[in-house]
C-alpha cells in the first residue's frame, strides 16, 4: 500500500487507482513498503513536547536540482546558471549530469551505510530547477533508473519534472514520460502577454496551451501550472483572466505564488559556501523597481479571488499556495510540510533526515570539483552545510508547517503544547478556526496574515 | 627629531616654560582644520608617515564617519624652529559645529593662542565669527590662516578683505596655506612660536591644574586632561581634587602624542593627562582643580560655567530591563561629555528613562549614537523640546522641558519661551528665501551687513523652538548648502502657545506631545498625523491617529489594517530560510515599542523632525 507513505490525514490519500497511472520502475531497493508508514511517524505534526527526541529516518522523497535555464528571470533566486552554460557547445549540462550521478551514488552509499539497503523506497522524486526540461530524455531516464536502483522507488511513486512552456525549453515531454516522469509542473507564471514580458519570461500565452497538449498527449496524468500574483503593475482583472485561462487548460494542480522579491545577499545566503548565488546588478535594479509597483492590498484581493474561484472549479486549497483536484495533491511537497525525511542532490538542494536540515552550496564550480575531481581522484560529497534542530525548533517547525496545510493541527494537542497561548490568541483573532474534526486550521484571513502568528512562534 | 622625542618621553628632557606654546585651531566646519592638524603632526614628526592616516585626532568612529570633530583632543608636538631652538607645542583640537561652542570655549581656556583657519574659496562663515569672538573673549592671540589656496575657486584676496573688514585682522598677518598640499605649514609653525606668548605660572608655587576634559579607562580609571596653571606635578604625587575633596596616589602622568605617553613630570604651563587612580567619575569632574595633597593650593582655579542645555528630550531603553545599563552609560559618557544633563523621568508610553538636556540637535543625535555604539544600547528618543517658563495663575513660575507635563490651559497665566539671536552668512542671492524661512518660523529681522559684494551677514531674532526643528536642514536646502548659521540665546518672551497631544488608537502617547504656537497648531497637527501614518506600519487592525488640543481633535489619519503578511513563495524544501525570514520579522517587531496594542517604531517618536517645510 504505497499510498500509506503519504499519511496526510485528513487529506484524502492519493489512491494509486484514483490518481494518474504511475509506472513501476522496479522497487528493487525497497521491499517492505509498510515500513514507510511507521517511519512517517505521526501523521499529525503535533508539536513535540520539549525533551522529546528528534528521530532521524531514511528519506521517503528525493529532490534533484538542475541549475540551468536558457535565461535568467530577474525575480528568481533559485540556483540557476544560464546562457552559454545551459546550451550550445560550451554547455555544462552533460558534465553536470555526470556530477549529479556521482552525488546520487555517494548519497545512496551513505544511506546504505546508515540505514541498510532494505530501507523504504521513495514515494516521490522531484526534478526541479532551473529548467530540468533542458535535460535530454535519455539523461532523465538514466537518472531515474539509477535512483530506482539505489534509493528504491515505491510502486506508483510520484515523479515530477519541472518544465518551461516555451518551445525552446519545454524539452522532450514524450521522452520524459517514457523515462518514467508522471507529473509535469509548468512554470506558466501568467497568461497575460504584458505580464509575461514584464517578468522577463520567454514564452507567450499560446505556448502554454501547446505545452499542456503535448504533456497530455505524452500521457502525463498529473499536471501542475505555477502562476504568480502581485506582479508589478498587474491588475485584479488581469489576474482573474490568467486564472480563468489556466483553469480552461484543465490542470490537475495549481501553485499560486505571491511574487516575493527577497534579497538573498542581505539574508547572508550568498557567501562562498552559501546555498544561493549573489543577485546580478541587473536583477537587483529590477527588483528595486518592481517592489515599488507591488501592492499588498491588491495581492490580498487576488488571493481571495483565487480561493473562491478555485473552490468553485473543484480544487482544494490544501496548502497556503497550493490547490489540487482530489487525488492530485503533490506528494513530494507534502513531504516538506509534514516534515517527512527527504534527500536532495544538486547545487543549492535542501535535505532533511527528521533531525537535521542539510544543504548543498550553490556554486557549480565547487560542486563539479568535488564530484568530478581532476586526475582520477575519488569523487567526494560537495560542500554545503547542516543545521541540527533542537526540540523547540522542531516543535515550532511542526506547527508552522502543519498550519500551512488545510489539515491543520489537532486542537487539543496543539493548545496543550508550549505554543498553545499563541494559538489561542490566533483563534481569538480569527486567524485560526476549529473544524468539526476537532482540529485547528488557518482561515483565509489567517492564511493571508499567517506570518503574524508564525513570527510569534519562532 | 625622533631621538629628541624619545628623550622627552623618558622624562629626561623638559622644555623650559618660555619655549612652550599652547594653542587651538578654530575653523568653520569643512574649512580644513583636521587636515591642518594632520599636517602639523607630520611636519613635526609627531606621527611618522607610516602611522599617518587622515583625521588623526578624530579617533572616534562617529567623527570619521561624519567628517567632524566632536571631542576636543590634545597633542604634544616638538618643533625645531628656525632660531635653532626646540619648542614644545600643545595643540588642542576643537569641534567646529555650533552645538559644541561650549567645548570650544573650554579648550580655549587652556590656550594662549589660536590658529584661525578660513577656507580660501568659501571665506568667513557664521562659525568663523562665533569662534573668533570666543577666542577674543579669552584674550587669545590669533594666527589667521587662509587655507585651500590651491583650489581653482580660491579667492585669497577677497577673504583677506573679509577678515580685515569684519574681524579687523590686518592682511599682513594672514598666512596663505594649503594643508592638503603642505603649503605654508612651516610659516604657520613659525608664527605660532613667534606670535603666541608662552604660558605663565610659577613652577615652584603650589600645584594648580585645571581639568579641561576627561575620559574613563577600564584599566586606569578616570583619566583627566589637565592644563597646569602653577606648580609642578610628578608622576607619583599624592593629589587632591579641590572641589570634590577626593585624594589619591597618581597612577600615571603623561602627554598626548596623540596616544598617551608617560612622562615623569609636568610643569606650570604644560598640558597633559593625569591618571589619578580614582574610580568614581564624580570625584574628578571637568572644571575641578587638581592640586597636591601634601602642599595644596590655597584656592581653586575659576573652573567652568555649567554648559547650558537648550534642547531637551527623553531617552528611553527600547527594552525596559536595560534601564540600569542606560543609567551607567549616561554616567560614564557624562564624564567624557559634561555638556549634557540627565535626570530620571517616566513616560506612560515609553516606561522609565531619562530627560536629557543637550547643547543642540546635533549634540542630541551624537549623544544618542554614542550611547548606542559605545554601550551597545537600543534607545528611543522622544521629540526634542526647549525649556518653557510657565506662569501659573496666582501661582509660581514653573519650568517645563517636557511638553506632556504642561499643566492644563485653565491654570496658566502665561507661557514664555526662549529666543535666540541668529546669524546667517549667505550669498546675497539667497536673501529672499532665507527671509521667508525666518518669517515662517516667527523670526524678526534685525539687520544685514555685506561681508563683500556677494555675501551678507543676516541677523534675526527667533524662538529657539522654531530653530531646533529642522531649521538647519531648511537653511541648507534653500541655499544649495552655501549658507551657514550660528546662534546665541537671548531671553524669554511670552507667546500664545498650546500643547498638542497625539493619540494612537485612542490612547494618548505622552512622548509625542509637543508645544507650539496656536496659529501653527492646526497645520502641525495635520502634518504630524500624516507623518505618523507613514511611519507606523500597518497592523492587524485599523489604527486611528489623532492630534488634539485639550479635548478638541484638530487632525486625524488612519493606518489601515494589514491585509497580507504571508510567505507565499516557492521555497521548496528550504525550510530553514522560511524560519529565518520569520525570525527577522520577529526581531523587527521587537525593535518597536508597544503602546497599548500598537507597535510603534523608534523613528515615529522623532516624527516631528522629518516633516519638512509646509
Amino acid at each position: 500500500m504505497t499510498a500509506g507513505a503519504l499519511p496526510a490525514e485528513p487529506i484524502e490519500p492519493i489512491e494509486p487507482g484514483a490518481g494518474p497511472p504511475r509506472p513501476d520502475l522496479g522497487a528493487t531497493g525497497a521491499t517492505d513498503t509498510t515500513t514507510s508508514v511507521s517511519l512517517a511517524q505521526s501523521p499529525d505534526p503535533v508539536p513535540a513536547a520539549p525533551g522529546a527526541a528528534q528521530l532521524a529516518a531514511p528519506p521517503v522523497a528525493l529532490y534533484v536540482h538542475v541549475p540551468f535555464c536558457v535565461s535568467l528571470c530577474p525575480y528568481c533566486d533559485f540556483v540557476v546558471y544560464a546562457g552559454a552554460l545551459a546550451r550550445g557547445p560550451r554547455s555544462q549540462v552533460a558534465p553536470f549530469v555526470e556530477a549529479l550521478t556521482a552525488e546520487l551514488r555517494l548519497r545512496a552509499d551513505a544511506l546504505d551505510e546508515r540505514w541498510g539497503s532494505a530501507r523504504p523506497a521513495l514515494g516521490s522524486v522531484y526534478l526541479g530547477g532551473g529548467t530540468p526540461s533542458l535535460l535530454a530524455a535519455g539523461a532523465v531516464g538514466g537518472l531515474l533508473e539509477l535512483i530506482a536502483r539505489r534509493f528504491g522507488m515505491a510502486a506508483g511513486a510520484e515523479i515530477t519534472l519541472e518544465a518551461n512552456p516555451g518551445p525552446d525549453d519545454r524539452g522532450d515531454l514524450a521522452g520524459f514520460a517514457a523515462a518514467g516522469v508522471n507529473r509535469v509542473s509548468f512554470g506558466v507564471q501568467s497568461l497575460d502577454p504584458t505580464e509575461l514580458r514584464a517578468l522577463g519570461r520567454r514564452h507567450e500565452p499560446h505556448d502554454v496551451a501547446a505545452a499542456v497538449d503535448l504533456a497530455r498527449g505524452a500521457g502525463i496524468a498529473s499536471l501542475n501550472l505555477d502562476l504568480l500574483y502581485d506582479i508589478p503593475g498587474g491588475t485584479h482583472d488581469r489576474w482573474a483572466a490568467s486564472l480563468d485561462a489556466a483553469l480552461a487548460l484543465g490542470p490537475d494542480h495549481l501553485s499560486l505564488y505571491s511574487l516575493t522579491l527577497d534579497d538573498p545577499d542581505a539574508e547572508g545566503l550568498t557567501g562562498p559556501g552559501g546555498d544561493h548565488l549573489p543577485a546580478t546588478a541587473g536583477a537587483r535594479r529590477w527588483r528595486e523597481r518592481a517592489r515599488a509597483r507591488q501592492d499588498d492590498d491588491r495581492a490580498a484581493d487576488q488571493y481571495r479571488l483565487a480561493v473562491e474561484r478555485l473552490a468553485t472549479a473543484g480544487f482544494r486549497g490544501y496548502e497556503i499556495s497550493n490547490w489540487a483536484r482530489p487525488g492530485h495533491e503533490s506528494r513530494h511537497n507534502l513531504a516538506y510540510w509534514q516534515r517527512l525525511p527527504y534527500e536532495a542532490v544538486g547545487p543549492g538542494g535542501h535535505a532533511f533526515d527528521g533531525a537535521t536540515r542539510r544543504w548543498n552550496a550553490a556554486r557549480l564550480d565547487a560542486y563539479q570539483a568535488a564530484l568530478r575531481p581532476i586526475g582520477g581522484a575519488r569523487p567526494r560529497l560537495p560542500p554545503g552545510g547542516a543545521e541540527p534542530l533542537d526540540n523547540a525548533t522542531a516543535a515550532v517547525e511542526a506547527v508552522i508547517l502543519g498550519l500551512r496545510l488545510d489539515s491543520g493541527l489537532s486542537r487539543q494537542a496543539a493548545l496543550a503544547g508550549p505554543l498553545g497561548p499563541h494559538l489561542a490568541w490566533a483563534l481569538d483573532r480569527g486567524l485560526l478556526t476549529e473544524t468539526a474534526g476537532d482540529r485547528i486550521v488557518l482561515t483565509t484571513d489567517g492564511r493571508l496574515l499567517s506570518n503574524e502568528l508564525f513570527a510569534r512562534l519562532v | 627629531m625622533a631621538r629628541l622625542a624619545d628623550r622627552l618621553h623618558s622624562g629626561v628632557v623638559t622644555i623650559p616654560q618660555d619655549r612652550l606654546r599652547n594653542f587651538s585651531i578654530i575653523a568653520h566646519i569643512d574649512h580644513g582644520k583636521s587636515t591642518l592638524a594632520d599636517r602639523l603632526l607630520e611636519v613635526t614628526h609627531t606621527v611618522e608617515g607610516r602611522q599617518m592616516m587622515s583625521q588623526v585626532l578624530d579617533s572616534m568612529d562617529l567623527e570619521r564617519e561624519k567628517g567632524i570633530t566632536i571631542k576636543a583632543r590634545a597633542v604634544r608636538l616638538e618643533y625645531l624652529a628656525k632660531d635653532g631652538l626646540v619648542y614644545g607645542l600643545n595643540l588642542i583640537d576643537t569641534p567646529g559645529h555650533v552645538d559644541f561652542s561650549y567645548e570650544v570655549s573650554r579648550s580655549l581656556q587652556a590656550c594662549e593662542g589660536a590658529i584661525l583657519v578660513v577656507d580660501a574659496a568659501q571665506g568667513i562663515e557664521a562659525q568663523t565669527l562665533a569662534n573668533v569672538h570666543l577666542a577674543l573673549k579669552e584674550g587669545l592671540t590669533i594666527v589667521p590662516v587662509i587655507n585651500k589656496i590651491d583650489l581653482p575657486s580660491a579667492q585669497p584676496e577677497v577673504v583677506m578683505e573679509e577678515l580685515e573688514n569684519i574681524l579687523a585682522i590686518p592682511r599682513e598677518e594672514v598666512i596663505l596655506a594649503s594643508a592638503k598640499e603642505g603649503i605654508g605649514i612651516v610659516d604657520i609653525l613659525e608664527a605660532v612660536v613667534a606670535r603666541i606668548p608662552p604660558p605663565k605660572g610659577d613652577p615652584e608655587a603650589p600645584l594648580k591644574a585645571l581639568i579641561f576634559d576627561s575620559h574613563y579607562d577600564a584599566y586606569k580609571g578616570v583619566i583627566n586632561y589637565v592644563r597646569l596653571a602653577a606648580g609642578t606635578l610628578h608622576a607619583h604625587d599624592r593629589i587632591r581634587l579641590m572641589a570634590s575633596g577626593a585624594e589619591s596616589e597618581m597612577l600615571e602622568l603623561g602627554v598626548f602624542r596623540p596616544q598617551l605617553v608617560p612622562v615623569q613630570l609636568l610643569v606650570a604651563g604644560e598640558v597633559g593627562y593625569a591618571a589619578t587612580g580614582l574610580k568614581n567619575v564624580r570625584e574628578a569632574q571637568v572644571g575641578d582643580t587638581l592640586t597636591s595633597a601634601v602642599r595644596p593650593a590655597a584656592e581653586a582655579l575659576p573652573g567652568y560655567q555649567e554648559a547650558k542645555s537648550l534642547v531637551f528630550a527623553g531617552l528611553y531603553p527600547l527594552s525596559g530591563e536595560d534601564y540600569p545599563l542606560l543609567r551607567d552609560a549616561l554616567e560614564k559618557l557624562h564624564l567624557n561629555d559634561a555638556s549634557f544633563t540627565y535626570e530620571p523621568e517616566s513616560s506612560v508610553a515609553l516606561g522609565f528613562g531619562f530627560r536629557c538636556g543637550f547643547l543642540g540637535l546635533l549634540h542630541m543625535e551624537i549623544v544618542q549614537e554614542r550611547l548606542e555604539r559605545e554601550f551597545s544600547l537600543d534607545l528611543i528618543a522622544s521629540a526634542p523640546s526647549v525649556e518653557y517658563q510657565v506662569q501659573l495663575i496666582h501661582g509660581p513660575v514653573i519650568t517645563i522641558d517636557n511638553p506632556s507635563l504642561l499643566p492644563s490651559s485653565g491654570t496658566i497665566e502665561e507661557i514664555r519661551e526662549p529666543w535666540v539671536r541668529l546669524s546667517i552668512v549667505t550669498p546675497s542671492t539667497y536673501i529672499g528665501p532665507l527671509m521667508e524661512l525666518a518669517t515662517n518660523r516667527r523670526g524678526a529681522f534685525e539687520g544685514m551687513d555685506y561681508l563683500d559684494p556677494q555675501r551678507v551677514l543676516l541677523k534675526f531674532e527667533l524662538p529657539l523652538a522654531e530653530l531646533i526643528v529642522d531649521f538647519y536642514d531648511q537653511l541648507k536646502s534653500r541655499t544649495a548648502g552655501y549658507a551657514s548659521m550660528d546662534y546665541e540665546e537671548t531671553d524669554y518672551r511670552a507667546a500664545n502657545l498650546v500643547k498638542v497631544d497625539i493619540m494612537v488608537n485612542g490612547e494618548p502617547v505622552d512622548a509625542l506631545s509637543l508645544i507650539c504656537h496656536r496659529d501653527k497648531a492646526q497645520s502641525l497637527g495635520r502634518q504630524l498625523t500624516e507623518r505618523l501614518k507613514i511611519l507606523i506600519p500597518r497592523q492587524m487592525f485599523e489604527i486611528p491617529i489623532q492630534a488634539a488640543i485639550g479635548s478638541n481633535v484638530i487632525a486625524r489619519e488612519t493606518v489601515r489594517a494589514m491585509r497580507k503578511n504571508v510567505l507565499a513563495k516557492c521555497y521548496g524544501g528550504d525550510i530553514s530560510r522560511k524560519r529565518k525570514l520569520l525570525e527577522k520579522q520577529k526581531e523587527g517587531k521587537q525593535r518597536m515599542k508597544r503602546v497599548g496594542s500598537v507597535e510603534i517604531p523608534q523613528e515615529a517618536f522623532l516624527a516631528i523632525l522629518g516633516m519638512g517645510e509646509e
Side-chain angles (χ1 to χ4, degrees):
Chain A
M1 217 285 276
T2 50
L6 219 212
E9 183 265 328
I11 286 178
E12 302 292 324
I14 299 168
E15 300 295 333
R22 292 166 194 270
D24 188 349
L25 286 163
T28 51
T31 45
D32 185 7
T33 47
T34 52
T35 319
S36 61
V37 177
S38 60
L39 282 165
Q41 300 172 343
S42 161
D44 185 38
V46 166
Q54 298 305 305
L55 289 179
V60 298
L62 170 66
Y63 178 76
V64 179
H65 190 74
V66 181
F68 298 102
C69 282
V70 171
S71 60
L72 289 182
C73 298
Y75 56 85
C76 171
D77 59 23
F78 282 108
V79 176
V80 172
Y81 291 85
L85 294 174
R87 51 176 190 179
R90 286 164 49 215
S91 161
Q92 289 296 306
V93 175
F96 168 74
V97 171
E98 282 179 40
L100 201 56
T101 305
E103 189 188 3
L104 282 166
R105 290 202 175 100
L106 290 171
R107 297 280 176 212
D109 289 347
L111 291 171
D112 286 346
E113 182 146 325
R114 190 172 179 195
W115 304 105
S117 55
R119 61 183 189 278
L122 298 174
S124 66
V125 174
Y126 195 103
L127 286 92
T131 311
S133 54
L134 291 176
L135 296 180
V140 171
L143 290 168
L144 290 176
E145 266 173 53
L146 173 66
I147 290 165
R149 196 167 65 244
R150 295 301 314 274
F151 293 78
M153 198 83 86
E158 173 190 281
I159 301 173
T160 305
L161 178 128
E162 286 186 339
N164 271 342
D168 271 7
D169 45 5
R170 66 173 73 116
D172 177 4
L173 291 165
F176 299 142
V181 170
N182 54 28
R183 184 172 182 270
V184 166
S185 173
F186 282 118
V188 175
Q189 317 315 359
S190 170
L191 286 157
D192 179 280
T194 315
E195 288 185 348
L196 284 172
R197 272 194 301 278
L199 290 170
R201 301 291 299 185
R202 299 166 54 82
H203 64 270
E204 293 185 47
H206 64 83
D207 292 328
V208 180
V212 167
D213 284 349
L214 283 169
R216 291 296 193 197
I220 297 296
S222 202
L223 201 57
N224 171 59
L225 306 180
D226 278 352
L227 291 180
L228 288 172
Y229 56 98
D230 203 12
I231 291 172
T235 65
H236 195 69
D237 291 346
R238 271 197 212 139
W239 168 245
S242 261
L243 209 49
D244 287 344
L247 284 170
L249 296 171
D252 306 293
H253 189 285
L254 285 164
S255 293
L256 310 182
Y257 296 119
S258 181
L259 177 67
T260 304
L261 303 165
D262 288 325
D263 186 346
D265 297 292
E267 289 172 53
L269 305 175
T270 58
D275 57 357
H276 284 71
L277 296 171
T280 64
R284 299 191 71 85
R285 278 196 303 277
W286 189 94
R287 290 174 201 179
E288 210 168 294
R289 282 198 303 271
R291 271 188 211 104
R293 302 178 66 210
Q294 292 190 289
D295 179 348
D296 280 350
D297 289 343
R298 183 182 67 210
D301 288 337
Q302 289 174 330
Y303 185 84
R304 284 172 189 282
L305 177 80
V307 168
E308 282 170 29
R309 210 158 276 197
L310 295 186
T312 311
F315 283 74
R316 174 163 148 207
Y318 69 101
E319 195 266 351
I320 286 179
S321 303
N322 289 280
W323 284 259
R325 294 199 291 110
H328 286 272
E329 295 84 358
S330 163
R331 182 187 298 188
H332 186 82
N333 287 336
L334 278 169
Y336 296 154
W337 301 312
Q338 293 176 330
R339 300 187 78 245
L340 301 180
Y342 49 92
E343 187 58 282
V345 292
H350 280 249
F352 178 53
D353 70 0
T356 299
R357 298 207 173 273
R358 178 193 69 70
W359 54 90
N360 284 346
R363 294 277 301 262
L364 185 58
D365 49 359
Y367 183 82
Q368 297 280 26
L371 289 158
R372 301 179 61 238
I374 314 163
R378 289 163 69 96
R380 45 183 209 289
L381 286 171
E387 182 194 19
L389 302 182
D390 58 30
N391 291 333
T393 307
V396 167
E397 274 191 9
V399 168
I400 290 176
L401 295 172
L403 285 176
R404 290 189 70 92
L405 295 170
D406 74 342
S407 47
L409 303 172
S410 151
R411 187 184 66 86
Q412 279 190 322
L415 288 178
L419 303 172
H422 295 301
L423 300 172
W425 168 85
L427 274 167
D428 189 48
R429 302 304 298 255
L431 299 184
L432 289 174
T433 186
E434 296 174 25
T435 68
D438 205 27
R439 302 185 69 82
I440 50 175
V441 300
L442 286 171
T443 58
T444 300
D445 276 345
R447 285 184 164 199
L448 280 165
L449 296 173
S450 49
N451 287 352
E452 292 291 311
L453 168 61
F454 296 165
R456 288 168 178 248
L457 305 178
V458 293
Chain B
M1 284 304 293
R3 279 198 14 233
L4 179 112
D6 289 344
R7 276 187 292 146
L8 182 104
H9 295 165
S10 68
V12 179
V13 167
T14 306
I15 293 176
Q17 197 184 56
D18 65 347
R19 276 193 266 136
L20 291 177
R21 301 290 183 271
N22 296 322
F23 68 101
S24 287
I25 306 178
I26 53 179
H28 189 79
I29 191 162
D30 284 341
H31 281 198
K33 177 174 60 67
S34 294
T35 311
L36 177 59
D38 289 352
R39 214 53 72 220
L40 295 179
L41 264 58
E42 237 175 42
V43 168
T44 56
H45 306 279
T46 308
V47 175
E48 293 302 335
R50 66 191 155 82
Q51 294 162 344
M52 194 66 206
M53 51 179 182
S54 60
Q55 274 186 277
V56 168
L57 295 184
D58 294 339
S59 58
M60 213 186 292
D61 285 348
L62 259 183
E63 294 180 316
R64 293 174 166 277
E65 278 166 33
K66 294 181 189 268
I68 57 170
T69 304
I70 297 167
K71 280 296 296 174
R73 241 174 228 93
V75 60
R76 167 67 176 265
L77 326 170
E78 278 99 43
Y79 175 59
L80 176 62
K82 286 183 176 163
D83 63 9
L85 298 172
V86 173
Y87 289 80
L89 312 182
N90 285 306
L91 162 58
I92 297 166
D93 195 19
T94 59
H97 189 273
V98 52
D99 278 10
F100 302 106
S101 53
Y102 170 78
E103 185 94 7
V104 175
S105 67
R106 242 175 38 198
S107 305
L108 295 180
Q109 283 180 52
C111 300
E112 283 75 40
I115 299 175
L116 168 68
V117 180
V118 183
D119 186 304
Q122 296 184 10
I124 289 180
E125 297 282 4
Q127 202 58 38
T128 317
L129 296 173
N131 282 335
V132 169
H133 288 138
L134 283 175
L136 292 176
K137 209 163 86 188
E138 295 296 332
L140 303 194
T141 302
I142 289 179
V143 176
V145 172
I146 294 180
N147 189 27
K148 307 194 191 180
I149 56 161
D150 59 303
L151 289 184
S153 53
Q155 297 178 290
E157 276 303 316
V158 175
V159 178
M160 270 195 266
E161 182 112 9
E162 284 184 4
L163 286 170
E164 196 150 38
N165 292 345
I166 307 295
L167 295 168
I169 292 174
R171 58 176 59 217
E172 50 275 15
E173 286 185 12
V174 177
I175 299 167
L176 298 183
S178 164
K180 189 164 146 253
E181 299 298 324
I183 301 166
I185 306 303
V186 171
D187 294 341
I188 293 170
L189 286 164
E190 288 294 323
V192 165
V193 166
R195 299 185 201 170
I196 297 177
K200 298 190 186 73
D202 179 2
E204 305 303 326
L207 175 67
K208 280 186 192 179
L210 181 66
I211 300 178
F212 67 90
D213 205 346
S214 55
H215 77 264
Y216 188 86
D217 181 284
Y219 301 103
K220 295 174 186 167
V222 180
I223 307 247
N224 291 126
Y225 297 15
V226 294
R227 153 77 195 247
L228 274 68
T232 302
L233 179 58
H234 293 89
H236 299 292
D237 280 353
R238 186 164 179 81
I239 52 97
R240 175 187 299 167
L241 279 306
M242 296 189 74
S244 74
E247 289 194 11
S248 175
E249 300 288 342
M250 289 271 298
L251 287 182
E252 190 176 304
L253 184 66
V255 294
F256 308 98
R257 296 194 55 84
Q259 69 281 19
L260 308 185
V261 175
V263 297
Q264 287 306 309
L265 62 95
L266 290 174
V267 299
E270 283 266 30
V271 172
Y273 70 90
T276 54
L278 293 171
K279 291 287 175 207
N280 187 337
V281 300
R282 291 209 188 84
E283 292 176 329
Q285 302 244 31
V286 169
D288 202 347
T289 300
L290 189 151
T291 190
S292 160
V294 183
R295 189 181 157 222
E299 57 189 38
L301 295 163
Y304 298 116
Q305 269 188 331
E306 289 261 325
K308 182 156 174 36
S309 297
L310 294 179
V311 174
F312 297 82
L315 287 184
Y316 291 83
L318 186 62
S319 151
E321 65 236 39
D322 285 347
Y323 177 78
L325 295 179
L326 175 58
R327 191 184 49 218
D328 290 354
L330 284 166
E331 190 166 293
K332 292 219 168 79
L333 188 63
H334 193 257
L335 180 70
N336 191 243
D337 179 0
S339 57
F340 74 90
T341 60
Y342 62 101
E343 59 185 54
E345 74 166 6
S346 67
S347 150
V348 179
L350 301 178
F352 289 100
F354 291 88
R355 194 73 191 170
C356 300
F358 306 97
L359 303 171
L361 269 192
L362 178 68
H363 187 216
M364 168 174 163
E365 188 186 313
I366 282 162
V367 168
Q368 187 183 349
E369 276 197 55
R370 287 188 70 186
L371 287 167
E372 292 188 328
R373 287 189 193 199
E374 295 171 26
F375 300 92
S376 307
L377 290 164
D378 271 328
L379 298 178
I380 292 181
S382 68
S385 166
V386 300
E387 189 171 65
Y388 296 94
Q389 293 175 351
V390 182
Q391 171 70 61
L392 299 177
I393 294 171
H394 310 305
V397 176
I398 57 172
T399 57
I400 294 288
D401 60 27
N402 180 346
S404 69
L405 300 179
L406 189 74
S408 75
S409 58
T411 65
I412 296 176
E413 172 86 39
E414 182 179 88
I415 306 177
R416 293 187 286 273
E417 61 177 339
W419 278 61
V420 295
R421 183 170 296 122
L422 174 70
S423 309
I424 298 175
V425 173
T426 177
S428 48
T429 39
Y430 300 115
I431 293 173
L434 290 177
M435 288 287 196
E436 190 200 356
L437 173 64
T439 312
N440 283 346
R441 301 296 182 100
R442 299 192 278 137
F445 177 64
E446 287 291 299
M448 174 161 73
D449 292 319
Y450 271 86
L451 301 180
D452 61 53
Q454 273 80 49
R455 298 196 328 139
V456 294
L457 168 64
L458 293 172
K459 287 182 180 162
F460 297 96
E461 289 192 324
L462 194 78
L464 176 61
E466 299 282 349
L467 190 73
I468 64 171
V469 177
D470 83 335
F471 186 92
Y472 186 70
D473 292 340
Q474 285 295 324
L475 177 91
K476 286 292 179 190
S477 77
R478 285 173 187 230
T479 62
Y482 279 113
S484 62
M485 63 172 247
D486 191 63
Y487 61 88
E488 56 179 337
E489 216 196 351
T490 55
D491 53 358
Y492 270 78
R493 297 179 197 177
N496 187 6
L497 301 175
V498 292
K499 180 170 72 148
V500 176
D501 291 314
I502 300 293
M503 280 166 298
V504 175
N505 204 25
E507 297 202 33
V509 182
D510 55 359
L512 285 169
S513 292
L514 59 98
I515 291 173
C516 70
H517 196 270
R518 185 177 293 278
D519 294 349
K520 289 188 158 187
Q522 178 81 43
S523 78
L524 203 61
R526 202 163 42 233
Q527 285 180 75
L528 194 53
T529 49
E530 279 168 12
R531 180 94 184 121
L532 286 169
K533 181 189 171 183
I534 294 165
L535 290 171
I536 296 176
R538 293 170 73 173
Q539 296 175 31
M540 283 173 55
F541 45 89
E542 189 176 279
I543 305 167
I545 300 170
Q546 294 157 295
I549 300 173
S551 57
N552 180 21
V553 173
I554 55 171
R556 182 192 158 110
E557 289 286 339
T558 304
V559 178
R560 284 177 304 136
M562 171 196 288
R563 294 196 49 211
K564 172 176 175 276
N565 181 14
V566 55
L567 294 175
K569 164 171 150 169
C570 183
Y571 294 95
D574 187 355
I575 308 300
S576 309
R577 188 178 183 196
K578 277 187 179 172
R579 202 176 58 236
K580 284 180 181 123
L581 288 168
L582 290 167
E583 282 165 2
K584 197 172 267 182
Q585 279 207 11
K586 182 180 191 168
E587 277 168 37
K589 281 185 199 294
Q590 283 169 344
R591 285 194 60 80
M592 291 196 262
K593 197 83 189 179
R594 213 177 165 80
V595 178
S597 51
V598 182
E599 280 152 347
I600 303 183
Q602 289 157 294
E603 313 84 75
F605 293 97
L606 291 174
I608 181 99
L609 297 181
M611 296 193 304
E613 200 68 356
E614 59 273 24

